[in-house]
Amino acid sequence: MRISKIEDRLEVIESPRYIFFGPGAIKKISNVLSYLTLGKRIFLVTGGEITRKIADDVASTLELDGFFVDIFSAKKGDIEDVLRCDQRFKEFRGDIILGVGGGRPLDVAKITAAWNGVRYISVPTSPSHDGIASPSISFLLSKKIEEKMGEEWAKTESPTVIIADTNIIKNAPSISFKSGFGDLIGKVTAVRDWELAYKLKDEPYSEYGASMALLSAEIAMNHSREIKPGLEESTRLLVKALIGSGVAISIAGSSRPASGSEHLFSHSLDIIAMEKGRKSAPHGIQVGIGAIMMAYLQGQDWKKIRNKLVEAEAPVKASDAGIEREDVINALTIAHRIRNRYTILGESGLTRSAAEKLARNTGVIE
Ligand SMILES: NC(=O)C1=CN([C@@H]2O[C@H](COP(=O)(O)OP(=O)(O)OC[C@H]3O[C@@H](n4cnc5c(N)ncnc54)[C@H](OP(=O)(O)O)[C@@H]3O)[C@@H](O)[C@H]2O)C=CC1
Ligand SMILES: O=C(CO)COP(=O)(O)O
Ligand SMILES: [Zn+2]
């Protein structure tokens, strides 16, 4: 059954039921599945070669414990991948879906679970963004699904369980750590945008949702120099903050606390890259750079945001993230119109010259 959105004054908070967290958490997998009594046919969605190996290990454990397993590798994370995954799941007649990998396979698993009305378990192997715990999938994928199939098909739910094994996640590439940190720092500008929309547009606002998102950002910012792969402690801290942000989205019933103008900038870069047939920079890297510029517009301490990103060794210049100068300016000028979400960019957005000035003044471009 799909629980629908807020009706009148009835609030529904849909969030993960269990979060297993720490070194060796993956060993709990069979116990969790047995306890949930949702069935014996387990469908794993994983990514490329690296995460496939992790998923193969999970599958072997499950098979030894009497489960039947099939594995699908989401190589691209696009709509075609989702359609293939859905078909394979239907053929397998699975009872439950596990996403094992980075953000790409987790999104594919989340949407396939929603289409088939089964539970989804998130087994992140990378700390790259808060989608590891949130009910949402990437903006671009959801836009594509909405365009091709209709709005209903892009609706997803929070994972029922999150199994975050820090022994596995700590081995993710260093760029994933920087991306997770950038996604978190973006909450500083996202929450300010939400407050603006609340005051200027009378949008619904949740103090709990906003505080939780800000707290997640603050914790990460307080430990900016420690955000590195290989260390269990800093992996734990980053993943916990990302889970906190994902839960803030659940509390708000919208990605509002976690996604404002800095995300509009990042999504616009994704759209531009897609149109040019290129790969974007990682989500949180773009968000971090966007947060510097949006904090400047909001009159917040943008230099602090920039310094924190520098401390985490995340790029603060577009060129260091492989983003072209022209794409930054174009993304800034289209960001306000890619989604119906009021932010500091207002209803008419930035002119080209204002966009260029903003990016130059904040050191994002030369
Ligand atoms: N739900 C949401 O709100 C959002 C979702 N997204 C989605 O997330 C994607 C970005 O996430 P990201 O995680 O960067 O992307 P990927 O899933 O593509 O992972 C990036 C790389 O990290 C590798 N990797 C993952 N875990 C480990 C590990 N433990 N050790 C070594 N390497 C590892 C992957 O390996 P392998 O090749 O094996 O996969 C892959 O090569 C976007 O493309 C989008 O699909 C983005 C933003 C928001
Ligand atoms: O990336 C996100 C939050 O960090 C998800 O937000 P969107 O709703 O903008 O995709
Ligand atoms: Zn994000």
Side-chain angles (χ1 to χ4, degrees):
M1 181 193 70
R2 177 184 295 285
I3 300 168
S4 65
K5 291 200 283 181
I6 299 169
E7 291 162 33
D8 294 326
R9 294 188 52 77
L10 170 70
E11 284 194 40
V12 180
I13 296 177
E14 177 245 315
S15 68
R17 189 161 156 201
Y18 300 108
I19 300 175
F20 291 89
F21 192 80
I26 197 82
K27 293 182 193 137
K28 292 279 168 213
I29 197 110
S30 297
N31 289 353
V32 172
L33 289 170
S34 301
Y35 178 74
L36 288 174
T37 59
L38 292 168
K40 286 273 174 195
R41 301 184 70 80
I42 317 299
F43 190 73
L44 302 188
V45 182
T46 190
E49 276 175 29
I50 306 166
T51 50
R52 173 76 198 216
K53 283 202 188 93
I54 301 170
D56 281 343
D57 288 346
V58 172
S60 304
T61 307
L62 288 171
E63 279 167 350
L64 279 174
D65 290 329
F67 291 94
F68 303 97
V69 183
D70 192 13
I71 310 184
F72 176 84
S73 285
K75 296 265 162 58
K76 289 191 172 160
D78 56 9
I79 192 166
E80 282 73 30
D81 243 0
V82 178
L83 291 168
R84 275 193 295 271
C85 182
D86 177 58
Q87 190 183 348
R88 178 86 164 263
F89 177 79
K90 286 183 164 70
E91 283 161 12
F92 177 64
R93 287 178 286 112
D95 297 313
I96 189 159
I97 299 187
L98 263 73
V100 182
R104 180 171 25 111
L106 295 193
D107 270 10
V108 174
K110 210 183 272 183
I111 197 95
T112 308
W115 285 3
N116 289 280
V118 298
R119 299 284 179 177
Y120 156 63
I121 295 185
S122 168
V123 186
T125 62
S126 159
S128 50
H129 56 74
D130 58 14
I132 61 180
S134 77
S136 44
I137 53 168
S138 95
F139 177 76
L140 209 57
L141 180 59
S142 102
K143 207 171 149 84
K144 276 277 164 64
I145 293 173
E146 274 179 31
E147 276 166 19
K148 216 167 175 175
M149 309 176 69
E151 227 173 89
E152 279 302 302
W153 292 87
K155 287 188 179 152
T156 42
E157 292 185 3
S158 293
T160 301
V161 181
I162 302 168
I163 301 177
D165 190 326
T166 43
N167 276 347
I168 295 174
I169 302 172
K170 74 178 185 192
N171 294 322
S174 126
I175 191 76
S176 304
F177 283 73
K178 294 171 188 177
S179 175
F181 183 79
D183 200 23
L184 285 168
I185 224 167
K187 313 314 168 202
V188 173
T189 45
V191 169
R192 182 60 68 88
D193 279 328
W194 196 15
E195 283 166 6
L196 260 185
Y198 168 60
K199 287 177 183 158
L200 295 175
K201 300 283 165 188
D202 198 22
E203 245 196 51
Y205 180 79
S206 150
E207 239 179 289
Y208 278 110
S211 305
M212 198 153 174
L214 282 181
L215 180 67
S216 303
E218 208 174 293
I219 289 173
M221 283 161 79
N222 287 344
H223 297 270
S224 48
R225 292 182 200 276
E226 298 145 46
I227 305 295
K228 288 184 180 59
L231 308 167
E232 207 277 325
E233 271 306 304
S234 55
T235 305
R236 176 181 283 263
L237 186 128
L238 181 59
V239 174
K240 234 181 214 177
L242 290 168
I243 292 176
S245 174
V247 173
I249 296 177
S250 298
I251 289 175
S254 136
S255 63
R256 254 302 188 180
S259 169
S261 49
E262 72 301 315
H263 271 72
L264 293 180
F265 169 71
S266 169
H267 299 332
S268 300
L269 284 174
D270 289 342
I271 292 170
I272 292 168
M274 185 191 64
E275 282 167 356
K276 289 184 170 179
R278 288 209 206 122
K279 206 171 174 292
S280 311
H283 172 75
I285 298 294
Q286 297 183 161
V287 169
I289 291 175
I292 301 173
M293 294 188 287
M294 300 310 155
Y296 177 98
L297 289 179
Q298 291 169 340
Q300 296 211 69
D301 189 351
W302 66 274
K303 285 186 182 160
K304 179 178 172 191
I305 292 190
R306 191 177 190 278
N307 287 341
K308 290 290 170 188
L309 286 165
V310 170
E311 285 172 10
E313 295 175 21
V316 292
K317 287 184 185 168
S319 55
D320 291 343
I323 307 167
E324 284 179 13
R325 185 181 196 280
E326 198 52 26
D327 292 350
V328 170
I329 298 167
N330 286 337
L332 285 172
T333 58
I334 64 167
H336 66 289
R337 60 178 146 91
I338 62 161
R339 171 187 228 172
N340 184 16
R341 178 163 288 190
Y342 190 80
T343 69
I344 190 67
L345 298 170
E347 267 131 13
S348 46
L350 299 183
T351 60
R352 198 187 148 78
S353 61
E356 192 172 349
K357 205 161 150 189
L358 167 64
R360 260 197 289 109
N361 286 350
T362 48
V364 169
I365 60 170
E366 305 271 300

